[in-house]
Amino acid sequence: MIVVMKPGSSQDAISRVTKRIEDAGLKAHISEGIEHTVIGVLGKVFPELRDSLELLPGVEQVIPVSKPYKLTSREFHPKDTIVKVDGVAIGGNEIVVMAGPCAIESEEQLLATAQAVKAAGATVLRGGAFKPRTSPYDFRGLGATGLEILAAVGKETKMPVITEVMAPHDVDLVARYVDILQIGARNMQNFILLDEVGKIKKPVLLKRGLSSTIQEWLLAAEYILNQGNENVILCERGIRTFETFTRNTMDISSIPVIEKASHLPIIADPSHATGKWYLVSPMALAAIAAGADGLLIEVHPNPDSALADGPQSLNFDGFRLLMSQLLLIAQARNRKLATPSAKTKP
Ligand code: PEP
Ligand code: MN
């Protein structure tokens, strides 16, 4: 249920509404819209509460919300959420490109990649340290050493950095080294992990689960917001279908669906969605055309020798080409590409 206040309603009127909600044992969530203040009611609502809220001064209307996700919904929070990371804004007018290797293999590999992707226009550096691998015999990342390399290269190249956190007990460790914590597709419904990243203040990138519906994905985000962390970025990374030609099927339509259903920023990962390097650019361009706020792209100095996800990694030339094409699509959507100089990190 949401309470829409009349335009220009007083602080006193807003307080009376929140008090009435809290007195009923429920939680009130205030969101300032452009014209209206909207107060979301969290918890099990009952019809009498609706009637009594409707009578309070300053209340324009009380609308029931039938969807199970609340804090992530547009109804609760009409204005776009803009997640700020070290001077880079995700979810505003600028398109933010995050790029780097699937897995951090060495300082040389990461530094060379960081310099190349930054020169081409990427604003955030990605690199996996704790890698979820389908087979236990595959390279599972450098772990804590990888985090150290990532933080050092981020500092040297003045790029904010993102990496995946796989376990609840690693959240504090990972948060010490990186600017954005990634929850991978396989962990989208690891509710203990979602609670843990909800307790910190750093931005969280939440990938869509391998076989998750959009509603399940938004409910996973709801776990993080419900713990108090509103800095959540959603990431479409393809879903499993009957198709085997591609690694997953990129659900481009989820981008405008999310834009309508939620205030959270949404970016796309065409690397994991397709599994094939030559499909990465077409899907990246399509995602931006569909309204995505950014991209997460795997780039490697020499994809043939990559320890993880080489077949879907762009080389430096491929990434540069993509960035030049991206400019035109961004313009068509009346958006700009975020510039690396926008960062404030020393
Ligand atoms: C990744 O980005 O490194 C990754 C493992 O992606 P996903 O969780 O989408 O498979
Ligand atoms: Mn990967």
Side-chain angles (χ1 to χ4, degrees), residues 102 126 131-132 164 182 184-186 207 237 269 272 298:
C102 177
R126 68 150 283 152
K131 294 300 308 169
E164 176 163 352
Q182 176 175 320
R186 289 156 191 80
K207 293 244 191 151
R237 48 78 72 208
D269 170 355
H272 292 89
E298 287 188 340

Side-chain angles (χ1 to χ4, degrees), residues 21 29 41 52 65 74 91 129 141 202 216 224 257 319 322 344:
I21 294 166
H29 179 268
V41 185
S52 87
V65 177
R74 271 270 177 222
K202 286 206 166 170
E216 286 163 344
I224 305 172
V257 168
F319 184 70
L322 165 60
T344 54

